[in-house]
Amino acid sequence: MQALKEVISYFRFAKYKSSPGVYRATDRSEVNARLVGWSKDFESSGAAPVRAALLVAVIGELANNSFDHNLGKWKDLPGCLVGIDVLNDRFRISIADRGQGIANSLRRVKPGALNNDELLRVAFEERVSGRSPERRGNGLKFIRKNFIEHGGLSLVCLSSSAIYKLGDELELVRILSPISDYAGTLTCIDWSRS
Amino acid sequence: MSVVEIRKFGEALASRSEGREAGLSTLAYDFEGLPPDEVTLDFNNVLIMTPSWLGEYVQTLMSRGVKKINYINTSPVVDSSIEFISEEI
């Protein structure tokens, strides 16, 4: 789980060590240029082509979200850090940025009494965007639907002092939920390899 | 019928800004500034697609007068994106 460890370090302390499976992107093109390679890597590790493509589409959406919603809003380091761990029965994908956080982005378009946990749920389950009135806001729903239908085991998102969880497994929740001192957004997904 | 081969924009298409640029390029160079009412998008050999790229591409075409979009040679990952952009357009 070396990659996840470095992504957590980036999320908490703005520091990480270059390691296998750790990819730094200060510009979205650095993520987008790697997508085909990651898809082929997932297939080499046993994923069916359709599942590999969907998993990479999910990574692409998450990483591009970092740039779409944080341009000019980075706390310190711009961009994101992507981690890919290949475990016995799953891929563990982690993506962190040090941006403004999802709830802070959405509060502008969803003012009112919603707390940050509720805003995070809205982000994943409703069509809404912090960049309204632009017609967008389906990315996290896309991720959630494909997670449920195509091999997702566990998803945990930490952002704006809130947590969003999907799946029945507790390992990622156990690792991530104690983290309280951070900037930005961290999303970690376990995805079945077979 | 106007057919656009999406593969010419790349195998992996994941960014809203790149989708918009691709849409503007299509309008300028495929349609020479005169978009037809109906366009068919051919996804043959496109490996990775996200609703961000596709939503922005289709919205760009439709903002300039394209009224109907058809999709051919899709894959499950393309179909998933098509499903999600239907709410945006």
Side-chain angles (χ1 to χ4, degrees), chain A residues 22-41:
Chain A
V22 175
Y23 305 89
R24 174 82 171 105
T26 55
D27 184 86
R28 69 177 82 234
S29 62
E30 296 177 78
V31 172
N32 296 337
R34 293 188 163 111
L35 295 178
V36 172
W38 285 335
S39 185
K40 294 191 188 317
D41 288 345

Side-chain angles (χ1 to χ4, degrees), chain B residues 9 16-31 53 56-61 64:
Chain B
F9 298 113
R16 272 201 184 267
S17 48
E18 290 174 9
R20 184 166 186 276
E21 278 297 299
L24 292 172
S25 173
T26 297
L27 288 165
Y29 296 116
D30 288 274
F31 303 146
W53 191 97
E56 206 64 29
Y57 182 83
V58 168
Q59 281 184 45
T60 300
L61 296 190
R64 302 293 179 94

Side-chain angles (χ1 to χ4, degrees), chain B residues 1-4 27 31 33-41 58 60-70:
Chain B
M1 183 193 299
S2 293
V3 179
V4 179
L27 288 165
F31 303 146
L34 295 170
D37 286 346
E38 186 170 341
V39 173
T40 296
L41 306 182
V58 168
T60 300
L61 296 190
M62 296 187 94
S63 72
R64 302 293 179 94
V66 173
K67 294 184 177 53
K68 186 173 188 309
I69 306 272
N70 306 305

